[in-house]
Amino acid sequence: MFDLKLKKQSENEQLVISTGSTYKAKEYEALAYLEKEDSASRLVEILEYSKISDCKYEFNEISGLYEVYVSPTSYELANNIYKKVLEDKLLEDVKMAEEEKKIEKEEAKELEEEKQEEISELNTQKAFREPTLYDSKEEKYKDNLSSAFTFLFCGVVGLIVVLLNDLGVFKLIEKDSSSFITVNVILILMFAVFCGIGVWSLIYSKKLKLEAKEEKELITKVNEYLEENVFIEDIDKEVDDSIPEEIKFFSRVDFVKNLLNEEFSDYDEELLNQISEKYIEKLYA
């Protein structure tokens, strides 16, 4: 009998050594294995509050967990309480997860609304953005030359008509009319002014022709710079990919224009705007 008692005691001691617990299995039963000491302490407090005083917890160095023990007589009640605690914790976790999910949805909705507002603002800017209106020197030269020839033609033809009328080749204005001299003088002056404007326009056209040649050389220089230094990859890095395609055009133009303004600060800004737009149209055609 004494040998049997020693044998059971030895078995209990071996069980204690193998589990790392200082509580003997005969005296306590393991209720829970928890990772955090706060959780184990809290569970013991709840059990003690529930009139279960024979409960303890300790850290198991082998498992690395905090083990909560109760006496065998209190195990069933303690286990029910522990299940309730787990259920409440689960419900709390579910509730927190739902709240976090709700917050994430609200934040996503706010971001989407901000994005839509930004797109709307960009569309408004696009709608009211003034197009680049730049008359090149070449166009001015052609328009001015055309005007010069028109004024000269009208002036010369008008003077010829007045002269032929005065010579009596045909009679537009009767010489016997009291207003003949007045009308004749007015017509001569008017057609003479036409001729003068035509001559002045021809002289100015020569100046515009030289300026047009210089401008053409400048445009060639700027385009060569763009082709050698500005590529699609560089532009796309600076443009927000989430904005509509039609808005991207203006963003790309602005990017190229800013580069040109830094590189060619002494050039006409409207000219650089036009070059930027044409370069983007060509690059993304």
Side-chain angles (χ1 to χ4, degrees):
M1 184 69 178
F2 180 72
D3 292 338
L4 181 61
K5 185 176 181 182
L6 288 176
K7 184 178 180 181
K8 288 183 178 180
Q9 182 178 357
S10 176
E11 288 176 354
N12 286 334
E13 289 175 352
Q14 289 176 1
L15 178 62
V16 169
I17 294 172
S18 65
T19 60
S21 172
T22 59
Y23 300 122
K24 295 180 180 180
K26 184 178 179 181
E27 297 173 357
Y28 288 91
E29 290 189 29
L31 176 66
Y33 303 91
L34 304 172
E35 294 181 355
K36 297 180 180 179
E37 185 177 5
D38 291 344
S39 300
S41 175
R42 177 60 178 161
L43 178 56
V44 169
E45 288 179 3
I46 293 173
L47 294 174
E48 290 178 344
Y49 180 79
S50 302
K51 309 301 182 181
I52 302 176
S53 58
D54 49 349
C55 58
K56 303 177 182 180
Y57 78 89
E58 70 169 14
F59 180 70
N60 188 325
E61 294 181 355
I62 296 175
S63 64
L65 299 173
Y66 290 90
E67 300 176 351
V68 179
Y69 293 91
V70 297
S71 65
T73 56
S74 303
Y75 182 83
E76 185 176 354
L77 176 60
N79 190 44
N80 291 333
I81 294 172
Y82 180 49
K83 287 180 180 179
K84 184 66 170 62
V85 170
L86 290 177
E87 183 180 350
D88 292 343
K89 183 67 169 62
L90 180 61
L91 291 174
E92 183 181 352
D93 291 343
V94 171
K95 185 178 180 181
M96 288 182 63
E98 290 178 350
E99 290 179 353
E100 289 177 358
K101 190 174 181 181
K102 183 179 179 181
I103 293 173
E104 288 176 358
K105 285 184 178 180
E106 290 176 352
E107 290 177 349
K109 184 178 179 181
E110 289 178 358
L111 288 174
E112 183 65 23
E113 289 176 353
E114 290 177 1
K115 184 178 179 181
Q116 291 299 328
E117 288 177 1
E118 184 179 350
I119 292 174
S120 177
E121 184 178 353
L122 288 171
N123 284 326
T124 302
Q125 292 176 358
K126 178 198 170 187
F128 290 96
R129 179 165 176 166
E130 294 182 1
T132 302
L133 299 176
Y134 177 78
D135 291 331
S136 66
K137 301 295 184 181
E138 182 72 20
E139 292 173 347
K140 288 182 179 180
Y141 164 70
K142 291 178 180 179
D143 291 342
N144 195 79
L145 188 63
S146 175
S147 298
F149 284 128
T150 300
F151 277 108
L152 278 175
F153 176 79
C154 292
V156 171
V157 171
L159 290 174
I160 292 174
V161 170
V162 173
L163 178 61
L164 294 176
N165 181 78
D166 291 346
L167 293 175
V169 176
F170 49 78
K171 296 181 180 180
L172 294 176
I173 305 173
E174 294 291 340
K175 290 184 179 181
D176 296 336
S177 173
S178 59
S179 61
F180 171 76
I181 296 176
T182 302
V183 173
N184 203 51
V185 170
I186 291 174
L187 289 174
I188 291 173
L189 288 175
M190 183 181 69
F191 291 125
V193 169
F194 283 1
C195 290
I197 293 174
V199 172
W200 180 85
S201 296
L202 282 175
I203 296 172
Y204 185 62
S205 294
K206 291 181 179 180
K207 179 183 177 182
L208 289 177
K209 187 176 182 180
L210 293 174
E211 292 179 355
K213 183 180 179 181
E214 293 177 357
E215 183 184 73
K216 190 174 181 179
E217 293 174 353
L218 293 177
I219 292 174
T220 301
K221 182 179 179 181
V222 174
N223 282 326
E224 287 177 353
Y225 168 81
L226 289 174
E227 291 173 359
E228 293 174 0
N229 298 279
V230 183
F231 307 99
I232 290 181
E233 296 80 10
D234 302 321
I235 299 172
D236 288 344
K237 286 180 182 178
E238 303 297 327
V239 176
D240 186 359
D241 194 54
S242 64
I243 63 178
E245 190 64 33
E246 58 271 17
I247 304 298
K248 288 182 182 179
F249 172 79
F250 295 103
S251 298
R252 291 164 179 162
V253 170
D254 290 339
F255 172 72
V256 174
K257 182 180 65 176
N258 291 333
L259 289 179
L260 294 181
N261 284 332
E262 293 177 1
E263 188 69 22
F264 305 97
S265 57
D266 54 337
Y267 284 21
D268 187 283
E269 186 174 352
E270 292 299 324
L271 173 61
L272 295 179
N273 288 351
Q274 187 185 66
I275 294 174
S276 300
E277 290 183 3
K278 288 185 177 181
Y279 183 69
I280 292 298
E281 290 174 356
K282 176 184 175 183
L283 203 61
Y284 288 86

